[in-house]
């Protein structure tokens, strides 16, 4: 999140001064090239404090803001908690964990799978065991630990706000056996009682809806300068959508899903009903 915020600020500073990347390179005296600046502004490379000072001199940044940005650069080079889990977290998912750790709200629509933030260990284990390349028990245990670390934010001192819309297939598909699925459904109902968690079920009878082509999430952040991100995931990787028109499109999609889904109370009743009939 710090790296992303810094990249946004760098791009904004350059555009505010009406400079192209080539002009910044020229004013730097050749200290760095166009590709470096482009990657700094896209968040693809961490900028060193020494290079940042050169940019801040070019942009004429005052001392107060200068110190804020230099602090961001130093802190952005620190590793997050997830780095200790190594191969248990694929590289493409590490960026998501960084975003999620700094988000104030996550809104997610799931068509088939219970959202990771609401999964029990047994449900997640059963899902991992069904994957084409099944990990060994040690790897699965580490992946479950990562899930539990993420879930801790829902009940912490500064809890993450979660709004989850579940396609009815999500609660109807038996994963991990009858007992495991029953426990999973009761866990969702229990988490839905938290003031920062909202769960809705999108029933089959709702018919056609705008997210029939797949699951997605929207992440929102506490800082006004941090724009929202739309996120999609699959077995091979992920897609991050940050352009404002596209993010707005996903936001409208989510609003329409909210309108089509059962209200939170009816959704909780439906989840418990399915659990009791397993």
């Amino acid at each position: 999140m710090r790296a992303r915020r810094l990249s946004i600020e760098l791009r904004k500073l350059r555009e505010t001064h009406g400079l192209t990347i080539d002009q910044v390179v020229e004013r730097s005296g050749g200290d760095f090239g166009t590709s470096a600046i482009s990657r700094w502004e896209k968040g693809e490379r961490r900028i060193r404090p020494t290079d940042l000072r050169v940019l801040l001199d070019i942009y004429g940044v005052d001392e107060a803001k200068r110190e804020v940005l230099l602090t961001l650069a130093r802190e952005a080079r620190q590793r997050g908690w997830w780095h200790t889990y190594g191969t248990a977290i694929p590289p493409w998912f590490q960026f998501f964990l960084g975003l999620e750790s700094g988000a104030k709200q996550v809104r997610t629509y799931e068509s088939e799978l219970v959202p990771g933030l609401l999964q029990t260990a047994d449900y997640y284990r059963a899902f991992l065991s069904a994957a084409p390349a099944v990990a060994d028990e040690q790897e699965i245990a580490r992946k479950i630990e990562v899930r539990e670390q993420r879930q801790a934010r829902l009940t912490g001192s500064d809890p993450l706000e979660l709004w989850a819309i579940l396609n009815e297939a999500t609660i109807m598909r038996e994963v991990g056996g009858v007992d495991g699925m029953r426990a999973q459904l009761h866990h969702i109902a229990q988490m839905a009682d938290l003031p920062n968690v909202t769960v809705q079920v999108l029933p089959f009878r709702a018919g056609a809806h705008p997210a029939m082509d797949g699951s997605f999430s929207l992440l929102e952040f506490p800082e006004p300068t941090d724009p929202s991100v739309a996120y999609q995931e699959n077995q091979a990787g992920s897609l991050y959508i940050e352009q404002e028109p596209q993010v707005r499109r996903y936001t409208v999609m989510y609003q329409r899903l909210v309108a089509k889904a059962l209200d939170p109370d009816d959704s909780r009743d439906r989840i418990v009903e399915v659990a009791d009939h397993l």
Side-chain angles (χ1 to χ4, degrees), residues 9 26-27 82 92 99 110 131 194 232 234 258:
E9 288 292 336
E26 183 180 347
R27 294 191 183 193
W82 50 90
W92 53 263
L99 293 177
E110 287 290 348
L194 294 174
Q232 289 184 303
N234 56 51
V258 169

Side-chain angles (χ1 to χ4, degrees), residues 5-258:
R5 188 173 301 138
L6 180 59
S7 68
I8 292 170
E9 288 292 336
L10 290 179
R11 185 169 64 250
K12 190 183 299 182
L13 281 170
R14 179 178 59 78
E15 292 173 349
T16 298
H17 285 76
L19 297 173
T20 65
I21 290 179
D22 287 336
Q23 288 172 326
V24 175
V25 171
E26 183 180 347
R27 294 191 183 193
S28 75
D31 283 352
F32 31 72
T34 57
S35 63
I37 296 175
S38 177
R39 294 181 70 182
W40 290 334
E41 291 187 0
K42 292 177 181 177
E44 296 174 352
R45 178 191 290 180
R46 305 291 171 87
I47 186 171
R48 297 179 302 175
T50 52
D51 292 329
L52 179 58
R53 289 188 180 93
V54 175
L55 284 183
L56 298 182
D57 287 341
I58 293 171
Y59 300 143
V61 176
D62 63 52
E63 197 61 36
K65 185 163 186 176
R66 187 185 189 91
E67 187 54 39
V68 169
L69 296 179
L70 285 168
T71 299
L72 275 179
R74 287 190 291 268
E75 292 180 347
R77 302 184 73 83
Q78 298 173 3
R79 288 178 172 266
W81 61 264
W82 50 90
H83 286 283
T84 61
Y85 290 93
T87 57
I89 307 174
W92 53 263
F93 193 58
Q94 292 181 15
F95 184 61
F96 176 82
L97 291 179
L99 293 177
E100 186 182 73
S101 68
K104 70 172 183 178
Q105 183 186 65
V106 173
R107 290 179 288 171
T108 186
Y109 165 70
E110 287 290 348
S111 61
E112 283 282 337
L113 189 67
V114 170
L117 291 171
L118 296 177
Q119 290 175 0
T120 64
D122 287 341
Y123 180 97
Y124 187 38
R125 184 180 290 105
F127 164 69
L128 290 174
S129 299
V134 180
D136 60 34
E137 283 301 318
Q138 185 177 9
E139 187 84 348
I140 289 175
R142 289 163 66 207
K143 288 179 179 290
I144 290 173
E145 286 182 27
V146 173
R147 283 288 156 109
E148 291 172 345
Q149 286 265 29
R150 293 173 58 202
Q151 292 169 354
R153 278 210 64 203
L154 294 176
T155 54
S157 57
D158 183 21
L160 174 70
E161 297 173 22
L162 174 65
W163 194 314
I165 299 178
L166 313 181
N167 190 305
E168 195 165 12
T170 303
I171 64 172
M172 296 294 291
R173 186 177 303 283
E174 186 180 306
V175 177
V178 172
D179 291 341
M181 191 61 191
R182 184 182 295 117
Q184 173 64 80
L185 293 174
H186 282 303
H187 177 69
I188 296 173
Q190 181 182 5
M191 295 300 292
D193 288 335
L194 294 174
N196 56 302
V197 176
T198 301
V199 177
Q200 289 184 265
V201 173
L202 182 67
F204 294 134
R205 68 173 184 269
H209 61 83
M212 293 180 70
D213 55 353
S215 306
F216 69 94
S217 296
L218 287 161
L219 295 92
E220 297 179 0
F221 308 96
E223 294 292 332
T225 54
D226 292 337
S228 300
V229 175
Y231 172 78
Q232 289 184 303
E233 181 182 321
N234 56 51
Q235 286 282 332
S238 56
L239 174 65
Y240 297 89
I241 301 161
E242 300 186 73
Q243 294 299 317
E244 198 274 335
Q246 286 76 23
V247 173
R248 191 187 324 121
R249 181 173 181 174
Y250 277 90
T251 301
V252 172
M253 284 172 59
Y254 202 85
Q255 291 169 346
R256 292 182 180 177
L257 290 172
V258 169

